[in-house]
Amino acid sequence: MDGVPVLLVVIACLAAILGALAWLGVRVRRRGIGGEMMGPFEEIWHPAAHRSRAEIRVQEERSAPTPSPDDLDKRHRREAGRA
């Protein structure tokens, strides 16, 4: 009889841990911070995926050069000539 309550406590703790991990997974995906948390593990077990994720991050951080005011004036004149 003493084993049944202990078993229920173990099952309840396991369910709570799994529920917390599922909630954390949803939250991490929504905020987009999963790569930062799992980066070291991914680098150990799947180096190719880690390298491709790093390349994607670099490409996302790149931005197109901002056009100078002269370029904007030329573009507006060109578009006005087409209208």
Side-chain angles (χ1 to χ4, degrees), residues 42-72:
E42 189 175 58
E43 187 175 0
I44 292 169
W45 283 294
H46 195 10
H50 177 73
R51 285 190 295 270
S52 66
R53 186 180 304 266
E55 181 63 29
I56 290 170
R57 190 177 322 126
V58 167
Q59 289 177 3
E60 287 175 349
E61 290 174 359
R62 289 183 191 154
S63 63
T66 307
S68 69
D70 293 334
D71 291 338
L72 290 175

Side-chain angles (χ1 to χ4, degrees), residues 4-83:
V4 173
V6 173
L7 180 64
L8 290 176
V9 169
V10 169
I11 290 173
C13 288
L14 183 62
I17 290 170
L18 290 176
L21 287 175
W23 172 78
L24 182 63
V26 168
R27 185 174 175 163
V28 164
R29 282 190 195 108
R30 251 188 230 147
R31 292 187 178 198
I33 58 175
E36 300 300 322
M37 288 177 50
M38 296 304 293
F41 299 107
E42 189 175 58
E43 187 175 0
I44 292 169
W45 283 294
H46 195 10
H50 177 73
R51 285 190 295 270
S52 66
R53 186 180 304 266
E55 181 63 29
I56 290 170
R57 190 177 322 126
V58 167
Q59 289 177 3
E60 287 175 349
E61 290 174 359
R62 289 183 191 154
S63 63
T66 307
S68 69
D70 293 334
D71 291 338
L72 290 175
D73 289 339
K74 290 176 188 175
R75 178 196 268 170
H76 290 303
R77 279 187 240 137
R78 225 180 13 238
E79 290 173 358
R82 289 182 190 165

